[in-house]
Amino acid sequence: MSLARELEAIGRPLVEEQLRHPTVAGIARGDLDLAVFRGWLEQDYLFLHDYVRVFARLAWQAPDGHLGDLVELAHSTFFDELSLHRALAEEFGADLAGAVKGPACAAYTAFLLDAAASYGEGLAALYPCMWGYSTLGRILAEDPPADPRYRRWVDAYADPGFAMLAGRVAVMLDEAAPDPARARTAFLEGMRHELAFWDVPS
């Protein structure tokens, strides 16, 4: 079993836990309190800016064969994913410009930026976000919410193109071959941050 597949296997119970989280369950039903999603959206908008910086820090260390992959991941996050957030912000009345990081966002981004000092471990640390959202999107798309705003969010992460980007991270992770124990530690910490991120600050 490849390292990426091993990490996915140990991360799946935490994906199931996310699916049971009230925020994710509300998105799945399409009846999540608009204020909660608005708060999540503001936090994730701030998170994604630092996520781009994580890709950039890893790109600086990447072998030539994967430099383009990491540049493309940074580009997709900055232009495509953040554009989705800006569009949803208009529909939900989110204040992206005035948003301030809550504790979960600050802790997660600090962890990722620190982990990115090591190429292999940094890939393991960020994999929960790429693989996790692709997995959540695919599962939620099996019975999508009726509310078109939440359906749009689900469709974005269920998109095969997003799954392809996550798959490229898996390939890079396997080729980087970090110490398996350290990779598992980084991955599981990332998964715990993913779960905590759904606790939207009030």
Side-chain angles (χ1 to χ4, degrees):
M1 182 184 293
S2 74
L3 177 60
R5 298 290 88 82
E6 178 188 349
L7 296 179
E8 291 168 13
I10 65 176
R12 186 56 192 246
L14 285 163
V15 170
E16 298 294 335
E17 196 169 344
Q18 289 183 60
L19 287 166
R20 294 190 295 269
H21 190 284
T23 300
V24 180
I27 292 172
R29 293 190 305 270
D31 63 2
L32 180 66
D33 187 302
L34 299 186
V36 174
F37 190 79
R38 185 162 55 242
W40 176 88
L41 194 63
E42 292 169 354
Q43 292 300 299
D44 203 51
Y45 184 78
L46 297 173
F47 169 85
L48 288 174
H49 280 84
D50 278 343
Y51 205 49
V52 172
R53 293 182 175 95
V54 171
F55 285 131
R57 191 172 192 191
L58 292 174
W60 183 81
Q61 305 169 68
D64 291 347
H66 287 308
L67 176 59
D69 289 302
L70 286 158
V71 170
E72 187 171 348
L73 284 160
H75 183 278
S76 176
T77 302
F78 190 80
F79 289 100
D80 299 335
E81 203 167 353
L82 283 173
S83 292
L84 169 68
H85 282 53
R86 283 188 286 269
L88 288 171
E90 292 184 12
E91 298 180 11
F92 284 91
D95 180 14
L96 301 182
V100 176
K101 284 183 184 179
C105 183
Y108 196 3
T109 55
F111 159 70
L112 287 174
L113 288 164
D114 183 62
S118 166
Y119 178 66
E121 289 178 36
L123 289 169
L126 70 80
Y127 195 48
C129 188
M130 293 297 299
W131 168 74
Y133 270 69
S134 178
T135 303
L136 286 173
R138 177 177 51 79
I139 293 170
L140 295 178
E142 293 173 0
D143 184 18
D147 187 309
R149 295 168 298 182
Y150 291 126
R151 173 69 178 265
R152 186 175 176 187
W153 184 91
V154 169
D155 287 346
Y157 293 107
D159 190 282
F162 189 79
M164 182 187 70
L165 293 175
R168 288 161 90 175
V169 175
V171 170
M172 286 187 281
L173 177 56
D174 286 337
E175 292 183 4
D179 176 78
R182 294 178 67 88
R184 284 191 292 271
T185 297
F187 177 82
L188 284 170
E189 185 167 352
M191 289 298 301
R192 287 190 287 270
H193 280 293
E194 282 290 312
L195 181 59
F197 203 90
W198 294 113
D199 293 329
V200 179
S202 55

